[in-house]
């Protein structure tokens, strides 16, 4: 190996030495061939053989020159890299490149693992899809080939599998209408305050009020709303005298601004709950307005608390 590198180094610096050696070798081969064929009966066959050897030698010469030039270029690059490694200013750069190459190699390994995982997942999904298609085709085949001894229906098989027929939907409509008559009418209630909303209430507004106290007032107000509108939804003929008196008051308190809304007044709170309408109650109402649980509608010397 040392001898080969030495020869390549010599050729790199003195390429004419190698060419002279190659030409001398070719001339010697030519003269030997001529002498050999003279002793065997003439120059005719020998000249043809020499021409073939000359062509082969020219081809071998080109390949050999190309090979030597490639090796010289490789040696030159190796020497340049060795010189770079000997420079102190470039050692840190080479170390950084080596570190980045190791990181890149690790990243490529991870990518290869992920690609393999995705390929397995793709194959699994493909198998699931094929299985689902087989099941679907079997279901269609069963639907189209129902045994004759089974009871037949007017509904199509696909309708039975994926939806209801028109006859079934029409038959269920009267039942739903009957149920809707019996169902109680909707009464809107105020949702309770969440912990996040409670924390966002300004400190000056919240004061010493607690989370449970505020939601307790909301529950009492909802109880009053439900009690009020249950009376309003009752038939008038079924009411007693007390309920009819409340019913008339509820109608008198309504205005064009409260039409279609659910609201209560202080009299409703006193009537249906044990809640005290005091200073603490009004402080909690400020918080409920801030959190958009209720809003006030004033008129005819009366404050109406509308559920938002």
């Amino acid at each position: 190996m040392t001898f080969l590198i030495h020869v390549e180094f010599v050729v790199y610096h003195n390429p004419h030495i190698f060419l002279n050696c190659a030409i001398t070798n070719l001339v010697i081969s030519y003269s030997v061939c001529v002498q050999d064929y003279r002793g065997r009966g003439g120059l005719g066959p020998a000249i043809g053989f020499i021409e073939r050897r000359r062509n082969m030698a020219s081809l071998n010469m080109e390949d050999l020159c190309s090979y030597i030039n490639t090796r010289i270029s490789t040696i030159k690059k190796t020497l340049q890299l060795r010189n770079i490694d000997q420079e102190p200013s470039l050692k840190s750069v080479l170390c950084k490149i080596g570190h980045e190459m190791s990181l890149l190699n690790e990243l490529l390994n991870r990518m290869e693992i992920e690609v393999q995982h995705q390929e397995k997942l793709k194959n699994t999904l493909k198998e699931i899809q094929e299985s689902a298609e087989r099941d679907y085709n079997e279901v269609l085949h069963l639907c189209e080939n129902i045994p004759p001894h089974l009871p037949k229906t007017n509904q199509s098989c696909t309708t039975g599998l994926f939806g209801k027929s028109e006859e079934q939907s029409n038959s269920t409509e009267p039942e739903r209408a009957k149920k809707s008559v019996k169902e109680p009418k909707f009464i809107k209630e105020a949702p309770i305050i969440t912990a996040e909303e409670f924390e966002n209430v300004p400190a000056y507004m919240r004061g010493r009020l607690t989370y449970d106290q505020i939601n307790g007032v909301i529950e009492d107000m909802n109880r009053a709303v439900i009690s009020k509108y249950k009376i309003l939804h009752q038939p008038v003929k079924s009411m007693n005298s007390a309920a009819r008196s409340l019913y008339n008051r509820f109608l008198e308190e309504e205005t064009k601004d409260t039409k279609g809304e659910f609201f209560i007044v202080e009299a409703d709170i006193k009537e249906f709950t044990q809640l005290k309408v005091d200073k603490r109650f009004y402080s909690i109402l400020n918080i409920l307005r801030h959190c958009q649980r209720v809003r006030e509608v004033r008129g005819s010397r009366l404050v109406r608390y509308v559920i938002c």
Side-chain angles (χ1 to χ4, degrees):
M1 185 66 182
T2 305
F3 175 73
L4 179 60
I5 293 174
H6 176 71
V7 171
E8 289 177 349
F9 183 78
V10 172
V11 171
Y12 171 69
H13 289 283
N14 299 295
H16 63 276
I17 296 175
F18 176 78
L19 295 176
N20 291 334
C21 293
I23 293 171
T24 304
N25 188 18
L26 182 62
V27 171
I28 292 171
S29 300
Y30 179 81
S31 60
V32 170
C33 291
V34 169
Q35 292 176 3
D36 183 51
Y37 276 87
R38 279 179 179 175
R40 294 185 180 183
L43 294 175
I47 292 173
F49 175 76
I50 291 170
E51 291 296 332
R52 290 193 298 271
R53 288 293 301 272
R54 185 184 299 170
N55 294 331
M56 292 175 63
S58 63
L59 293 176
N60 293 334
M61 233 1 226
E62 292 177 359
D63 296 338
L64 191 58
C65 289
S66 177
Y67 172 75
I68 291 173
N69 290 330
T70 303
R71 297 301 298 273
I72 290 172
S73 177
T74 303
I75 294 171
K76 185 177 179 180
K77 291 178 181 178
T78 304
L79 293 175
Q80 290 176 353
L81 291 174
R82 186 182 66 181
N83 294 332
I84 290 174
D85 184 48
Q86 291 176 355
E87 295 182 8
S89 60
L90 298 176
K91 285 185 178 181
S92 60
V93 177
L94 292 176
C95 293
K96 184 177 180 181
I97 292 173
H99 179 66
E100 291 180 354
M101 288 181 66
S102 62
L103 294 177
L104 182 60
N105 186 27
E106 183 179 358
L107 179 61
L108 290 174
N109 292 333
R110 292 181 180 178
M111 290 180 65
E112 185 177 0
I113 294 172
E114 182 64 23
V115 168
Q116 293 175 357
H117 175 69
Q118 293 295 332
E119 288 180 353
K120 292 180 181 179
L121 184 61
K122 182 188 72 174
N123 295 331
T124 304
L125 292 176
K126 188 175 180 180
E127 293 176 358
I128 294 173
Q129 182 182 5
E130 292 176 353
S131 177
E133 290 177 355
R134 287 195 301 269
D135 294 340
Y136 179 74
N137 293 329
E138 290 179 1
V139 170
L140 291 180
H141 177 73
L142 292 174
C143 291
E144 295 173 356
N145 299 275
I146 298 176
H149 62 274
L150 294 178
K152 295 183 179 179
T153 59
N154 295 327
Q155 304 172 6
S156 62
C157 184
T158 55
T159 304
L161 287 173
F162 304 106
K164 294 182 179 180
S165 62
E166 295 181 358
E167 295 179 358
Q168 287 180 336
S169 60
N170 293 331
S171 63
T172 54
E173 286 179 358
E175 296 178 359
R176 290 179 181 175
K178 293 179 182 179
K179 290 181 180 179
S180 62
V181 173
K182 296 180 181 179
E183 288 178 355
K185 292 184 179 180
F186 170 74
I187 299 175
K188 188 175 183 180
E189 300 180 31
I192 63 173
I193 301 294
T194 63
E196 184 178 359
E197 289 176 320
F198 179 74
E199 293 296 331
N200 292 330
V201 174
Y204 75 90
M205 187 180 298
R206 186 172 54 191
R208 295 183 179 180
L209 295 172
T210 63
Y211 176 77
D212 294 332
Q213 289 175 343
I214 296 173
N215 284 327
V217 172
I218 293 177
E219 291 174 357
D220 288 334
M221 293 181 69
N222 287 334
R223 193 177 299 112
V225 171
I226 293 171
S227 300
K228 173 184 175 180
Y229 282 92
K230 278 184 178 180
I231 295 174
L232 286 173
H233 293 161
Q234 288 180 6
V236 179
K237 294 180 181 181
S238 63
M239 296 180 184
N240 55 26
S241 59
R244 187 171 295 180
S245 176
L246 291 172
Y247 179 83
N248 293 328
R249 180 173 67 82
F250 297 155
L251 294 180
E252 291 175 358
E253 293 170 350
E254 290 185 358
T255 63
K256 62 179 182 179
D257 295 329
T258 60
K259 187 177 180 179
E261 301 286 349
F262 293 85
F263 71 93
I264 55 175
V265 296
E266 292 183 5
D268 299 327
I269 296 174
K270 295 176 181 179
E271 179 71 28
F272 300 112
T273 68
Q274 301 296 324
L275 187 63
K276 294 181 180 181
V277 182
D278 53 6
K279 184 177 179 180
R280 184 173 67 88
F281 172 74
Y282 292 119
S283 299
I284 293 176
L285 279 179
N286 290 332
I287 296 174
L288 297 182
R289 285 196 299 269
H290 174 77
C291 296
Q292 298 180 356
R293 293 300 189 273
V294 297
R295 62 184 179 86
E296 293 182 357
V297 176
R298 297 176 180 268
S300 300
R301 297 181 181 181
L302 193 63
V303 180
R304 299 163 181 84
Y305 304 109
V306 181
I307 305 300
C308 295

